[in-house]
Amino acid sequence: MDSFSLNTSFGNDTDYYEELSFSLFEIPVLIPVTIICIIMFFLGVAGNVTIILIFKRYKGMRTTVNMYLSSMALSDSLILLGLPSDLYRIWKYKPYVFGDFLCKFIFYLSETCTYSSILHITTLSVERYFAICFPLKAKATITKSRVKGIILLLWLCSLVTALPVLFLFGVEHRNGSLPEETSECKYIKEAARSGLLETMTWLSTLYFFLPVSCLVLLYGMICRKLWRTAHNLEGQHAPARERYHQQTIKMLAVVVLAFILCWLPLHVGRILFAQGSVGLYEISQYFEISQYFNLVSMLLFYLGASVNPILYNVMSQKYRKAVCTFLNQKQAWQSRASCRSDKASVEGMERSSFV
């Protein structure tokens, strides 16, 4: 589920909004947040689409690692599609004018892609562990066809486990009020009373903290292996192989760290809400504090979906070269198209003058 919608829906008594303006924040807060969101949206979508195009276009980039990363880029791009909806709801929380289907779909898409990104980064780390600690076995078992199958399985698992969200969220309005004035996209109270809300809260929490624990363990074992074998590699290509492993691990470790830091506040909020009597909103004692926590969680959540292309550029020299080649070819194509257009225009003028 998208960060802001989930936190406000999972923790707030929406009756409280009846006493507030339909906007959740003041204009001095809304304007800079809107600018930040617009920048993240366009940079994130452009960056993730570029990742997909580069990994698809250049054979040298079609490694099993990059297959996972390109699938993650697709997931991050879809997550960012929920940003305009969240931004709209910050400016105008109610009435929700986009209908019940879009309300459910945005929640479902965001939750699916959140699960997918977590599963991808965990599976990729497991693959790197086997590639470094058991290289001979990994070379025989980790093939591109198998990775494609694993990626499809990860997406299928994410799609299935997020299905309850379709029954948990929808458009409702307060009894005794006009739907066109007070309709909200939020969790359905009957579904919440049935226990589905709490179940999905804990499911999403497990989806985050179990993989994080696994990632910490895996990278600990990988670092220990690299440290022990740093001076024992043999063969002509041993130094290059060691450098490749170290560069890959550094890049993935930074990606994992960014993932944890950006998504941790969202899941902390979910845990505190799931505690019920010790929830975030009782701890804060002030509605404003909880809303600003939600806002920061939202910004970090979408930052996590848009920052990976920047990290790849910083950490991977091979990726930087591929991006430069891709952009240069694009500029050359645009230049040729412009020249053809200018030439056609000149020829047309000459024919016109001759006639």
Side-chain angles (χ1 to χ4, degrees), residues 167-188:
F167 305 97
L168 182 57
F169 289 89
V171 176
E172 284 192 337
H173 67 280
R174 189 176 180 183
N175 293 335
S177 62
L178 297 175
E180 60 270 18
E181 293 181 357
T182 62
S183 59
E184 301 175 42
C185 176
K186 62 185 185 69
Y187 68 86
I188 300 170

Side-chain angles (χ1 to χ4, degrees), residues 292-304:
Y292 279 103
F293 181 86
N294 292 338
L295 187 62
V296 172
S297 297
M298 183 198 79
L299 293 175
L300 287 174
F301 176 74
Y302 286 117
L303 177 63

Side-chain angles (χ1 to χ4, degrees), residues 10 168 191-192 195-203 273-275:
F10 271 34
L168 182 57
L196 184 59
L197 176 62
E198 187 175 359
T199 301
M200 289 304 295
T201 303
W202 283 113
L203 175 64
F273 166 71
Q275 294 296 324

Side-chain angles (χ1 to χ4, degrees), residues 148-262:
K148 288 179 181 178
I150 291 173
I151 289 173
L152 288 175
L153 186 62
L154 297 180
W155 276 103
L156 180 62
C157 180
S158 302
L159 288 166
V160 171
T161 51
L163 274 176
V165 171
L166 294 174
F167 305 97
L168 182 57
F169 289 89
V171 176
E172 284 192 337
H173 67 280
R174 189 176 180 183
N175 293 335
S177 62
L178 297 175
E180 60 270 18
E181 293 181 357
T182 62
S183 59
E184 301 175 42
C185 176
K186 62 185 185 69
Y187 68 86
I188 300 170
K189 290 184 178 179
E190 291 183 4
R193 293 191 192 101
S194 69
L196 184 59
L197 176 62
E198 187 175 359
T199 301
M200 289 304 295
T201 303
W202 283 113
L203 175 64
S204 65
T205 300
L206 291 174
Y207 248 108
F208 178 76
F209 284 98
L210 285 182
V212 164
S213 302
C214 180
L215 290 171
V216 171
L217 179 63
L218 285 172
Y219 282 102
M221 292 189 293
I222 288 172
C223 290
R224 186 181 66 175
K225 178 68 174 180
L226 289 176
W227 177 265
R228 287 181 174 179
T229 60
H231 305 291
N232 297 327
L233 290 173
E234 298 179 357
Q236 183 180 358
H237 303 291
R241 190 163 64 248
E242 181 185 0
R243 284 195 302 271
Y244 169 75
H245 284 322
Q246 289 178 347
Q247 184 181 17
T248 302
I249 293 305
K250 285 180 182 178
M251 184 183 72
L252 293 179
V254 171
V255 171
V256 169
L257 182 62
F259 156 76
I260 294 173
L261 293 178
C262 289

